[in-house]
């Protein structure tokens, strides 16, 4: 086999090879890579597989996440694993029931909200003000209480030091944009109680963050902004009538995560809704598959926790991918700028690789900061193959898809 160099980006997390006839691609991962890197390796491999057989050579300590996904992948894939002796051995892909049993053992993650305890009374004036603010939406988690404005977290409270720690304003995790200021951080305790002056500081800092967000000066967290807009419309267009945003879930043992939206439609079928505002995010399908597996295995418990009724007919978890173009974050005009594509070159091959019984849909939002978002009608098990917001896939449709298309045209 010789190195595989298609002239387009491949992940550097693996070495790529192709046989002389071009009918097989092999991907070899070194043991020095992180286990989480297997997400990207599988995602790129599925996108580039095309009509070829795919061979994955993985460290035996890294193979489990990939093997758990393959029961729901229909393309021809073989996995070999190796240990310290560097001798590859064929790996066995588990049966679906075994993967679902393991996912069921994980159970539900806590959906409880952070309890401020005795500190709640100390900051009651702040929480009451936030709850009544027209532009703030509660976004509490088990480890803190928070309020968002258009998807941007602008106020956080948590128990700390016998009182409550308050962060007012935007706490940037990366470098602060020019002209921005650090959030106001303070701890309220019985000995250092909240005063009218500190309350005014908190409210002023949050109000400034709200104004910048709504005026278009703060364009960070575009995907969160899109999610907030979708939530405000009740996910209109997806045909669901109840949902939970950022629902805590498991992607596997020791891999917690949050589903963008867990929803149920009029037939009470569960939906895993994943938004995507970055066309270079190649792992979205792998991530959604992980969540779908966990939701399938824990559907009864999820429904009980949510108070949602049983489905009409057999349980089928539906994957919804809502895709939007990336917006230039340096533009402060309040209008979209620097638009790219909503559907990147890797998505088509990954979705085609899913087993036929996997139910998935795609929708496009042309402007992720529009209020409300203009979302296209979901299309079942297909994505647009052309258009200004659709990139050409790195591989053409697989032979089965081509045959199906030809049959439809011929009929």
């Amino acid at each position: 086999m010789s190195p595989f160099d298609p002239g387009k980006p491949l992940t550097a997390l693996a070495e790529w090879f192709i046989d002389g006839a071009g009918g097989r691609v092999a991907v070899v991962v070194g043991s020095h890579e992180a286990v989480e890197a297997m997400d990207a390796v599988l995602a790129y491999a599925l996108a580039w597989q095309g009509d070829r057989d795919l061979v994955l050579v993985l460290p035996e300590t890294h193979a489990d996440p990939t093997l758990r996904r393959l029961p729901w992948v229909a393309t021809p894939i073989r996995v070999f694993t190796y240990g310290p002796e560097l001798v590859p051995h064929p790996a066995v892909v588990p049966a679906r029931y075994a993967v679902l049993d393991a996912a069921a053992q994980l159970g539900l993650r806590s959906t409880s909200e952070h309890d401020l305890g005795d500190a709640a009374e100390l900051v009651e004036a702040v929480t009451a003000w936030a709850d009544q603010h027209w532009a703030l939406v509660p976004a509490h988690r088990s480890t803190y209480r928070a309020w968002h404005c258009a998807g941007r977290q602008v106020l956080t409270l948590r128990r700390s030091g016998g009182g409550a720690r308050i962060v007012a304003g935007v706490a940037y995790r990366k470098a602060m944009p020019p002209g921005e200021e650090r959030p106001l951080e303070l701890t309220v305790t019985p000995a250092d109680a909240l005063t009218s002056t500190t309350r005014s500081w908190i409210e002023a800092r949050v109000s400034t963050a709200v104004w910048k967000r709504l005026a278009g000066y703060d364009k960070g967290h575009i995907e969160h902004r899109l999610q907030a807009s979708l939530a405000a419309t009740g996910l209109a267009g997806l045909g669901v009538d109840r949902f939970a945003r950022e629902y805590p879930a498991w992607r596997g043992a020791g891999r917690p995560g949050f589903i963008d939206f867990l929803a149920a439609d009029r037939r009470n079928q569960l939906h895993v809704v994943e938004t995507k505002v970055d066309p270079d995010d190649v792992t979205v399908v792998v991530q959604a598959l992980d969540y779908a597996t966990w939701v399938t295995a824990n559907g009864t418990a999820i429904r009980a926790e949510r108070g949602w009724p049983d489905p009409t007919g057999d349980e089928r978890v539906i994957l919804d991918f809502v895709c939007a173009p990336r917006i230039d974050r340096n533009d402060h005009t309040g209008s979209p700028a620097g638009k790219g594509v909503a559907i990147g070159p890797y998505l088509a091959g990954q979705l085609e690789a899913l087993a036929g019984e996997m139910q998935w849909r795609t929708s496009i939002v042309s402007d992720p900061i529009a209020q409300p978002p203009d979302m296209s009608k979901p299309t079942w098990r297909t994505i647009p193959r052309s258009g200004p917001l659709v990139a050409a896939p790195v591989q053409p449709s697989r032979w089965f898809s081509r045959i199906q298309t030809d049959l439809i045209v011929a009929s």
Side-chain angles (χ1 to χ4, degrees), residues 277 279 324-328 337-344 365-366 368 387-391:
V277 180
R326 189 166 46 207
I327 296 296
D328 184 0
K339 277 191 174 183
V341 295
I343 294 179
V365 174
S366 58
L389 295 178
V390 181

Side-chain angles (χ1 to χ4, degrees), residues 15-69:
E15 297 295 331
W16 296 71
F17 303 91
I18 190 169
D19 64 18
R24 181 172 51 181
V25 171
V27 185
V28 183
V29 178
S31 58
H32 61 282
E33 301 291 354
V35 175
E36 292 74 19
M38 300 306 97
D39 297 358
V41 170
L42 178 61
Y44 275 97
L46 293 177
W48 280 104
Q49 182 179 6
D51 291 333
R52 310 177 185 95
D53 291 348
L54 177 62
V55 178
L56 301 175
V57 183
L58 310 175
E60 58 187 12
T61 54
H62 292 38
D64 182 66
T66 297
L67 292 172
R68 284 189 288 102
R69 295 157 180 156

Side-chain angles (χ1 to χ4, degrees), residues 216 266 356 359 394:
R266 298 177 184 89
Q359 301 294 305
V394 294

Side-chain angles (χ1 to χ4, degrees), residues 210-399:
V210 167
W211 172 76
K212 288 186 175 181
R213 188 64 166 174
L214 298 181
Y217 287 93
D218 174 7
K219 280 198 168 66
H221 284 200
I222 297 298
E223 186 165 347
H224 290 179
R225 182 167 189 153
L226 172 61
Q227 292 168 6
S229 298
L230 291 171
T233 68
L235 301 185
L238 292 183
V240 300
D241 55 8
R242 74 214 80 156
F243 64 88
R245 185 181 172 196
E246 294 192 335
Y247 189 78
W250 291 102
R251 294 188 58 188
R255 294 196 68 183
F258 291 88
I259 301 173
D260 290 342
F261 293 98
L262 177 69
D265 60 28
R266 298 177 184 89
R267 297 188 302 116
N268 300 319
Q269 297 288 355
L270 296 176
H271 290 238
V272 171
V273 182
E274 289 293 302
T275 60
K276 178 173 172 286
V277 180
D278 185 351
D280 297 326
D281 178 11
V282 299
T283 63
V284 64
V285 173
V286 171
Q287 175 176 288
L289 181 56
D290 290 347
Y291 288 143
T293 302
W294 177 80
V295 170
T296 300
N298 294 277
T300 300
I302 290 171
R303 292 176 184 281
E305 186 276 324
R306 290 280 93 190
W308 294 349
D310 293 334
T312 302
D314 295 335
E315 175 78 272
R316 290 187 177 182
V317 176
I318 299 167
L319 299 180
D320 272 298
F321 299 94
V322 180
C323 307
R326 189 166 46 207
I327 296 296
D328 184 0
R329 299 187 182 192
N330 295 321
D331 177 67
H332 298 298
T333 65
S335 301
K339 277 191 174 183
V341 295
I343 294 179
Y346 308 101
L347 191 65
Q350 295 166 359
L351 290 174
E352 278 187 347
L354 296 181
E357 57 270 33
M358 291 293 295
Q359 301 294 305
W360 56 266
R361 308 185 299 178
T362 57
S363 305
I364 290 180
V365 174
S366 58
D367 182 356
I369 66 173
Q371 302 287 336
D374 181 18
M375 184 169 64
S376 67
K377 182 179 179 181
T379 55
W380 285 95
R381 289 194 60 84
T382 185
I383 64 174
R385 286 293 181 175
S386 61
L389 295 178
V390 181
V394 294
Q395 289 289 298
S397 299
R398 291 187 171 89
W399 66 270

Side-chain angles (χ1 to χ4, degrees), residues 63-104:
D64 182 66
T66 297
L67 292 172
R68 284 189 288 102
R69 295 157 180 156
L70 294 188
W72 287 272
V73 175
T75 53
I77 300 176
R78 297 185 67 192
V79 179
F80 293 81
T81 61
Y82 65 89
E85 72 283 359
L86 302 182
V87 177
H89 301 280
V92 177
V93 176
R96 288 185 180 179
Y97 77 85
V99 177
L100 293 174
D101 283 349

Side-chain angles (χ1 to χ4, degrees), residues 104-155:
Q105 294 300 314
L106 296 174
L108 303 191
R109 287 185 61 200
S110 174
T111 57
S112 62
E113 296 179 355
H114 183 63
D115 183 8
L116 290 171
D118 294 340
E121 186 176 352
L122 298 174
V123 292
E124 184 178 5
V126 175
T127 57
W129 174 80
D131 285 335
Q132 296 170 8
H133 197 292
W134 65 273
L136 298 183
V137 176
H140 310 315
R141 291 191 177 177
S142 60
T143 54
Y144 59 82
R145 300 184 71 80
W147 289 260
H148 288 186
C149 174
R152 171 67 88 181
Q153 190 164 300
V154 295
L155 178 63

